[in-house]
Each structure stands twice: as C-alpha cells, then as structure tokens.
Amino acid sequence: MGLVTAIRDRSARAARRALILISGVAFLLIGIGFLTSAAWIMLEEVYSAAAASAILSGVYAGVGLVAIAIASSSAKRELRTPERPVQQDPAETLQPGVTPPLVQAFLIGLNAALAARGRGPTSL
C-alpha cells in the first residue's frame, strides 16, 4: 500500500498547488481590473475619455506584444539546441553474454516484487 499512498499524497499536493495557483491568478486578474479602473479615472480627469481608452489599450497591447516576443524567442532557442550524439546504434546486435538494458530493468522489478512477497530473487 506504500505506492498507492505515495501516489495519493503526490496527487493531493499537486491539486493543492493547482488550487493555490488558480486562486493567485484570479486575485491577480482582479487586481489588474481595479488598477485599470483607477488608471481610467485618473486619465479621464486629466485628458478625455477617448484619450484614456487609447492610452490604456496601447499599454495592454504593448504588454501583450512583449509577452508574445518573449514566448517566440524562447521557442526559437529550444529549437536550436544541439543534438546529442548517438552512443549506440539500436540495430547493432549485442555481444554474447550481455543482457539488454530492458531485460535488466525487468529483472530488477521482478526481484523487487518477489522480495516484497518473501520469495527469493531470480537470475538470468
């Protein structure tokens, strides 16, 4: 039952983090709404309603364009990552007496399961 408990704990922590993140984004959006309202009132008193809407729309459009530029530049950087050299050709035949890594991983898991049930380990 240790695995089930660990998975349950991880999912509970992930759900808690997601809920905190969603509430943080909601509060941030509410704050931006009030900030926009306050900026509108101040700009309307100094200028006109048309100027206030032009200024605020320009600010939001500028922030959006900067965010798009940052996102597109990071995507280009990810595409330019150097490729790792291939260490071993998968079509190559293995030498006699060498156990493939997939078989080794299977045997490790099988031995762990047998040890958990109180049985002895297996060998190749």
Side-chain angles (χ1 to χ4, degrees):
M1 290 285 279
L3 181 63
V4 173
T5 306
I7 291 173
R8 189 179 312 138
D9 290 343
R10 281 186 185 176
S11 63
R13 273 186 268 140
R16 192 175 313 119
R17 271 188 256 135
L19 185 63
I20 291 171
L21 178 67
I22 289 171
S23 63
V25 168
F27 280 113
L28 180 66
L29 290 175
I30 291 169
I32 289 172
F34 278 111
L35 183 63
T36 301
S37 176
W40 173 270
I41 292 169
M42 288 185 345
L43 289 171
E44 190 180 20
E45 286 180 6
V46 176
Y47 303 107
S48 65
S53 72
I55 292 170
L56 287 177
S57 64
V59 168
Y60 281 120
V63 169
L65 289 174
V66 168
I68 291 171
I70 290 171
S72 67
S73 70
S74 66
K76 289 178 185 174
R77 258 188 269 130
E78 289 174 1
L79 292 177
R80 285 188 248 145
T81 55
E83 292 183 19
R84 295 181 183 170
V86 177
Q87 294 179 358
Q88 182 182 6
D89 184 16
E92 241 179 58
T93 58
L94 292 174
Q95 299 173 356
V98 176
T99 307
L102 183 63
V103 173
Q104 289 176 357
F106 173 76
L107 289 175
I108 289 171
L110 181 64
N111 286 335
L114 291 175
R117 292 183 179 171
R119 298 180 189 164
T122 62
S123 62
L124 218 177

